[in-house]
Amino acid sequence: MGREAFIGSGSSRVTHSAGGGHKIPRLERTVTLLMLGRLRHRGSDTICRIRNVSEGGMRIDTGSPLEKGDRVAIEARSGVCIDGQVAWTNQLAAGIAFTHNVDHQEMLSPPVGPSGKRLAARSPRFHATARARLQTAGEALTLRLVDISLGGCRVESDAGFPLGADGSLTIPGLPPLACTSRWATGNRAGLIFHVRPDFGSFARWLEAPDLRFAAP
């Protein structure tokens, strides 16, 4: 009997026969999309782009190359981590073969909240402790990151936060980010970025512990 391994095109699996030949039958129920996910790899996590997914695997883009055979886990909208192995790589693209078939429609669905309704999907957030500096029209604040995503971040400071104020956020290792404070409670606030940072630069920043987890 042939052995199947996901090859990552999102539409095929490769079947290896006992005689060394192979054929590539079309895999049904493949979903083509562009979604952000969390990649857990070598004891840390970073962001990835999910290009397509099926019940047996997915194709992703990363900020740094993976290696064939690497063990990984992918978290999509559902918040559930799916274990897999890198089946192939092509620069910053990789095909991930799941360790077992999954319900990929459920994996791509937002989690269910206490009310029983699906929660709004959002970009994955990543824990961080780096220092940052927020420059507004009236003052400059020294901040500490709590978590960060492509769309914004949660910060804390010993000073108060002006709600709704526009400013420029400087985080070592990332370009300056124009932002607005969307909410503030106590010594914490949520900042929304006007323009998302570049995906590749952000992914590599997450993979640099000396930047992401700099001493507060």
Side-chain angles (χ1 to χ4, degrees):
M1 181 178 293
R3 176 176 58 87
E4 291 190 337
F6 180 74
I7 67 170
S9 67
S11 61
S12 305
R13 289 177 182 238
V14 56
T15 302
H16 302 272
S17 67
H22 63 273
K23 59 181 180 178
I24 306 178
R26 183 171 182 82
L27 181 64
E28 297 181 355
R29 295 192 297 165
T30 296
V31 178
T32 300
L33 70 164
L34 186 60
M35 177 189 294
L36 296 174
R38 186 188 309 272
L39 168 67
R40 300 185 186 275
H41 176 235
R42 296 180 179 174
S44 187
D45 64 342
T46 187
I47 198 168
C48 67
R49 269 193 303 239
I50 302 172
R51 288 286 184 178
N52 51 47
V53 62
S54 73
E55 62 186 15
M58 64 172 57
R59 174 177 174 169
I60 63 172
D61 295 336
T62 58
S64 299
L66 298 176
E67 296 184 6
K68 184 177 179 180
D70 281 353
R71 296 287 182 177
V72 299
I74 306 291
E75 179 184 321
R77 283 179 177 168
S78 66
V80 176
C81 278
I82 306 298
D83 293 328
Q85 185 173 12
V86 178
W88 61 264
T89 63
N90 182 6
Q91 297 182 351
L92 298 180
I96 309 299
F98 299 148
T99 55
H100 60 275
N101 285 355
V102 302
D103 182 341
H104 61 282
Q105 297 289 359
E106 180 64 24
M107 180 181 67
L108 299 177
S109 299
V112 176
S115 67
K117 296 183 179 180
R118 294 283 184 183
L119 301 177
R122 67 179 188 179
S123 176
R125 292 186 171 270
F126 299 89
H127 174 62
T129 59
R131 285 180 177 267
R133 184 177 180 84
L134 177 64
Q135 180 68 55
T136 67
E139 61 181 328
L141 296 174
T142 298
L143 312 175
R144 295 176 296 275
L145 290 179
V146 176
D147 56 41
I148 186 170
S149 72
L150 272 179
C153 62
R154 186 166 44 146
V155 297
E156 60 183 12
S157 172
D158 295 332
F161 291 92
L163 184 62
D166 293 331
S168 178
L169 182 68
T170 302
I171 303 172
L174 291 174
L177 297 163
C179 62
T180 298
S181 58
R182 185 171 182 179
W183 59 265
T185 304
N187 69 335
R188 291 193 172 188
L191 306 180
I192 302 299
F193 301 148
H194 297 177
V195 178
R196 289 186 171 193
D198 172 72
F199 168 82
S201 298
F202 182 65
R204 289 186 290 274
W205 183 87
L206 290 172
E207 296 165 13
D210 57 326
L211 295 174
R212 177 178 172 183
F213 299 111

